[in-house]
Amino acid sequence: MLQKADISFEAQYLQTALGPMTILKSPAGISIKEAINYQNKPIIACNCYYSENNRYSYQVIYVVLEPDLQNPTYYLESDGTLPEFFINPEGKLYTAIEVYHPDKDGLITMVPCFDRDDITYPKPKKVTLGDYIGIYHDFAIFKNVDIFSDKQLDKLIAVEFKHGELKKSYTAKIPFPKYNQFYIDNDNKQIHIIAKSEENCWLHRQIDEKGAVIQSRRIDIACNDYPNCVLNLSFCESSYVVTHDEGGIFYLITLTPQGEATQNKLFDVGSPLFWVWDPVKIATETFVIYFTIETGNGWITLRNNKVIEAFLQQQAGKFTNLLTNEIIILAEQKLIISDLISCQNNSYTLVFYDYQEDRTKRNTTLFVLNRTLV
């Protein structure tokens, strides 16, 4: 079992108009790597900084919160850095960490996140996993899309487990077009991808864990948008994809099994969108999508393909309910969304950090907000 970390966070718990929130402050600084929900507990991987002999160093820690966000526990990651969470096919939480080697950089090993007693550590390998997207048969599946290169092919990484033991990882290059959105159909055990292949045309493919194409179809579409946010993909039933334009309007694209596409306006944020993240499924037909605009960030929640809530930070720490115009104050400083994770019972957790205008200063505060839908 990982050793508990001796961390002196200043902790504050409060109720907000959006739900309970825990605030953790580290005087020397804290940076968030990523977050996950495991056994209904938010777990956040952080670098926690400290001063030693007038020099700054850091520890990699895991912050584990109870479902009500109280009583945080801290664990020290002693085997590596840059942790990436994922769930193995047996439902156990794993972490991929970069291990030190005197002559090689980027060596990764994958181990259980907490319970490492009596395990045999896998041999570190040079691999870039990317983003964890789910389980497919005996594989934990990751996507790796290089958004800075038009020539670098998208990759699918499949990490194989047998009887709870890690066996092998496979990396498959996805043929063009690139900038694919990936979707795992857990009910039918299928992997789908979709990308813009040319002007007014999308390519929808079903692939296996090695990247081999099982079936594909070309979809003519009246808009020139990219398929940014996939709600679901299917060849047998209707598929739903959310796109957006430069002005800040979200659209719902419906794809029929016959390959016909229709576009309907979903929501107008009222400001140009800088970046939109993948949807997070929090319940049946319920998704949360967060985004960034010039003045801040926000999120929308969809249920049965309709927006049921929308929040936008236009002033530091103040979020506007775009459906009611109510102003909700969460903090005095500007908050940046680091992660949004699904919880149980129609709820989700948002992880924020404090924005620093002075880029020479470290972020010092972690905000964890839980919201439950009615």
Side-chain angles (χ1 to χ4, degrees):
M1 193 71 179
L2 283 188
Q3 174 187 349
K4 288 188 178 181
D6 183 16
I7 300 293
S8 57
F9 276 127
E10 178 186 328
Q12 180 184 5
Y13 179 80
L14 60 134
Q15 290 287 339
T16 76
L18 294 181
M21 184 166 71
T22 285
I23 303 172
L24 301 175
K25 189 167 185 178
S26 174
I30 186 170
S31 61
I32 306 167
K33 179 65 175 73
E34 65 171 6
I36 197 169
N37 184 279
Y38 182 63
Q39 297 179 343
N40 204 29
K41 294 182 179 182
I43 302 175
I44 306 163
C46 305
N47 290 341
C48 185
Y49 294 88
Y50 61 93
S51 179
E52 186 176 59
N53 298 325
N54 295 321
R55 297 183 64 183
Y56 280 98
S57 187
Y58 71 90
Q59 294 176 312
V60 179
I61 64 166
Y62 301 117
V63 180
V64 181
L65 293 157
E66 294 302 312
D68 62 1
L69 302 187
Q70 299 196 67
N71 303 317
T73 307
Y74 313 108
Y75 294 89
L76 175 65
E77 175 54 82
S78 55
D79 289 325
T81 61
L82 302 174
E84 297 181 51
F85 293 129
F86 66 96
I87 306 293
N88 81 346
E90 285 72 33
K92 189 171 186 177
L93 180 62
Y94 266 66
T95 185
I97 49 177
E98 182 172 331
V99 298
Y100 172 75
H101 189 283
D103 303 315
K104 298 179 181 179
D105 294 327
L107 291 179
I108 300 296
T109 190
M110 290 171 269
V111 292
C113 189
F114 295 110
D115 187 8
R116 301 180 194 172
D117 296 341
D118 303 320
I119 70 165
T120 300
Y121 280 72
K123 183 179 179 181
K125 296 183 178 180
K126 192 172 181 64
V127 59
T128 302
L129 289 177
D131 299 319
Y132 170 69
I133 57 175
I135 298 299
Y136 176 76
H137 296 294
D138 293 329
F139 300 88
I141 303 295
F142 300 78
K143 66 173 182 178
N144 191 323
V145 179
D146 188 341
I147 63 173
F148 300 107
S149 171
D150 292 333
K151 298 179 180 180
Q152 191 73 27
L153 290 173
D154 297 345
K155 296 176 183 177
L156 182 86
I157 298 91
V159 179
E160 184 179 19
F161 285 80
K162 288 291 186 182
H163 308 297
E165 298 293 326
L166 193 153
K167 292 299 180 183
K168 191 175 181 180
S169 61
Y170 304 86
T171 298
K173 293 183 178 180
I174 307 299
F176 287 116
K178 68 170 279 117
Y179 306 121
N180 283 275
Q181 296 294 320
F182 291 71
Y183 172 77
I184 295 182
D185 179 349
N186 293 305
D187 293 333
N188 297 302
K189 298 188 181 336
Q190 297 175 349
I191 303 174
H192 292 257
I193 59 175
I194 192 167
K196 180 178 177 180
S197 60
E198 56 188 272
E199 188 172 350
N200 304 117
C201 180
W202 292 352
L203 182 64
H204 172 200
R205 292 174 280 184
Q206 181 189 343
I207 60 175
D208 65 13
E209 75 280 1
K210 304 280 182 70
V213 176
I214 298 171
Q215 58 180 324
S216 67
R217 62 176 176 172
R218 182 181 183 275
I219 299 170
D220 294 322
I221 188 164
C223 68
N224 201 30
D225 297 344
Y226 284 83
N228 303 101
C229 300
V230 169
L231 304 184
N232 79 293
L233 287 173
S234 172
F235 281 87
C236 303
E237 300 176 352
S238 292
S239 303
Y240 299 99
V241 179
V242 173
T243 69
H244 62 85
D245 63 19
E246 294 180 355
I249 300 177
F250 285 100
Y251 297 92
L252 179 70
I253 309 295
T254 302
L255 309 176
T256 68
Q258 295 75 31
E260 298 171 347
T262 58
Q263 180 192 58
N264 291 287
K265 182 178 176 180
L266 194 59
F267 193 78
D268 187 355
V269 172
S271 299
L273 298 165
F274 280 22
W275 195 260
V276 178
W277 277 260
D278 292 342
V280 175
K281 187 174 184 177
I282 65 170
T284 303
E285 302 299 330
T286 308
F287 301 85
V288 186
I289 302 172
Y290 74 97
F291 55 86
T292 299
I293 65 170
E294 183 178 8
T295 57
N297 42 198
W299 68 95
I300 60 173
T301 302
L302 287 71
R303 178 182 284 162
N304 297 322
N305 295 330
K306 297 186 183 299
V307 174
I308 62 169
E309 60 175 15
F311 299 97
L312 180 62
Q313 181 181 215
Q314 295 170 302
Q315 300 179 51
K318 298 179 180 179
F319 286 80
T320 302
N321 182 331
L322 297 178
L323 300 183
T324 66
N325 291 321
E326 176 189 5
I327 303 297
I328 299 159
I329 300 175
L330 294 183
E332 296 180 354
Q333 57 269 71
K334 183 177 180 179
L335 301 182
I336 304 297
I337 299 176
S338 171
D339 272 286
L340 192 154
I341 55 178
S342 174
C343 301
Q344 294 181 359
N345 303 319
N346 278 285
S347 66
Y348 57 94
T349 296
L350 285 152
V351 182
F352 304 89
Y353 61 88
D354 56 318
Y355 175 76
Q356 297 288 344
E357 292 283 354
D358 185 348
R359 306 311 295 167
T360 64
K361 295 183 178 180
R362 291 188 176 90
N363 307 310
T364 61
T365 312
L366 176 66
F367 301 79
V368 187
L369 172 72
N370 183 265
R371 178 156 178 79
T372 301
L373 301 182
V374 178

